Amino acid sequence: MEKPYPGRAIINSTFNGLEIIIPSKKSWAVTIFLFGWLGGWSMGEYFALSELIKPKTYSLAEAKHFRAVDMLYDSTVRGRRNNQGPFDDTGTIHFDYGLQTVQCASGISVAEAELIFEKLTQRGIKLNR
């Protein structure tokens, strides 16, 4: 003899009244897709953050023409005037490294950059200025 379908709802009688629990339907295809999709996003975020955190190192022997540039008053930066976004790669200290110009130390003044150059020179580090 076939038993009748008991339903998905679970009804419990408690001191506070009735507790009715209706479990949701589960689609395993959607669950597997979402797990893979979220896993892919998590891996992408991990690799992106690891690139942001990893410090860049340069050989002083290959670095040439160290200079301090006041970015607030340089009106030729990418054809824009004083328009620095939060992700622009601008900085006060500039130097040539191979065929590229590296810009770093954003947020410091020209006077502080010159002090850094002076301290490095006092320690015997030869800066090709």
Side-chain angles (χ1 to χ4, degrees):
M1 179 165 208
E2 188 175 332
K3 294 183 180 180
Y5 176 65
R8 290 190 1 225
I10 301 168
I11 303 171
N12 296 324
S13 179
T14 65
F15 292 113
N16 296 330
L18 287 178
E19 177 186 41
I20 301 173
I21 302 171
I22 303 173
S24 64
K25 285 187 174 182
K26 292 169 184 63
S27 172
W28 287 106
V30 172
T31 303
I32 291 171
F33 170 77
L34 287 176
F35 183 74
W37 184 68
L38 289 173
W41 273 102
S42 298
M43 299 239 340
E45 185 174 337
Y46 169 77
F47 288 122
L49 288 176
S50 66
E51 281 297 313
L52 288 174
I53 294 172
K54 182 172 55 173
K56 293 183 180 180
T57 57
Y58 299 96
S59 169
L60 276 177
E62 297 294 324
K64 308 276 188 243
H65 191 60
F66 281 84
R67 58 205 177 272
V69 178
D70 194 354
M71 298 305 292
L72 292 177
Y73 299 107
D74 186 4
S75 62
T76 62
V77 178
R78 294 190 187 128
R80 299 178 294 180
R81 182 169 182 85
N82 299 337
N83 188 13
Q84 297 178 15
F87 300 109
D88 284 350
D89 57 347
T90 59
T92 306
I93 297 176
H94 293 201
F95 61 92
D96 298 331
Y97 194 76
L99 295 177
Q100 70 179 359
T101 299
V102 177
Q103 303 173 3
C104 59
S106 62
I108 68 169
S109 66
V110 172
E112 189 173 0
E114 291 294 339
L115 178 68
I116 291 170
F117 294 153
E118 182 183 324
K119 294 290 185 185
L120 289 173
T121 306
Q122 287 174 357
R123 294 238 175 192
I125 298 172
K126 185 176 185 289
L127 299 177
N128 296 318
R129 297 187 75 189

